[in-house]
């Protein structure tokens, strides 16, 4: 029996919801993971607080915007997700 990596079960994007249509740029991507995890949004490292919360303010281009969000826990386990939001000013 092998316990699943907590990075897989403890990584959540809080906002914005995938598929959202946003009317104002920039937007803040917020999420939760393990406090000792490393998070990046489109290759840029994001600070994770002592509770595992993270946020990244990103500028949007008109139309669909794709964000690759990757979290890596202390054991080196990596989880990646893609968030797509559309900007319609």
């Amino acid at each position: 029996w092998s316990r699943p990596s907590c990075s897989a079960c403890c990584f959540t994007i809080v906002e914005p919801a995938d598929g959202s249509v946003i009317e104002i740029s920039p937007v803040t991507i917020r999420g939760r993971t393990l406090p000792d995890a490393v998070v990046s949004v489109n290759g840029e490292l994001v600070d994770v607080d002592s509770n595992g919360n993270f946020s990244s303010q990103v500028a949007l281009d008109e139309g669909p915007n794709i964000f690759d969000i990757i979290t890596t826990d202390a054991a080196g386990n990596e989880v990646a997700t893609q968030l797509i939001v559309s900007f319609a000013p």
Side-chain angles (χ1 to χ4, degrees):
W1 180 77
S2 175
R3 183 176 162 201
S5 162
C6 195
S7 65
C9 62
C10 297
F11 175 56
T12 304
I13 301 299
V14 176
E15 65 178 350
D18 190 40
S20 294
V21 177
I22 307 293
E23 297 177 351
I24 299 172
S25 177
V27 67
T28 301
I29 297 173
R30 297 183 201 282
R32 245 180 255 119
T33 189
L34 298 173
D36 60 352
V38 175
V39 176
S40 67
V41 176
N42 284 356
E44 296 290 324
L45 291 178
V46 176
D47 289 332
V48 179
D49 72 16
S50 61
N51 294 314
N53 298 304
F54 64 88
S55 66
S56 176
Q57 191 172 63
V58 292
L60 300 173
D61 295 322
E62 193 166 341
N65 291 260
I66 300 171
F67 299 100
D68 294 311
I69 303 166
I70 300 171
T71 185
T72 308
D73 68 13
N77 299 303
E78 184 177 284
V79 176
T81 192
Q82 199 170 68
L83 174 68
I84 301 174
V85 295
S86 293
F87 180 40

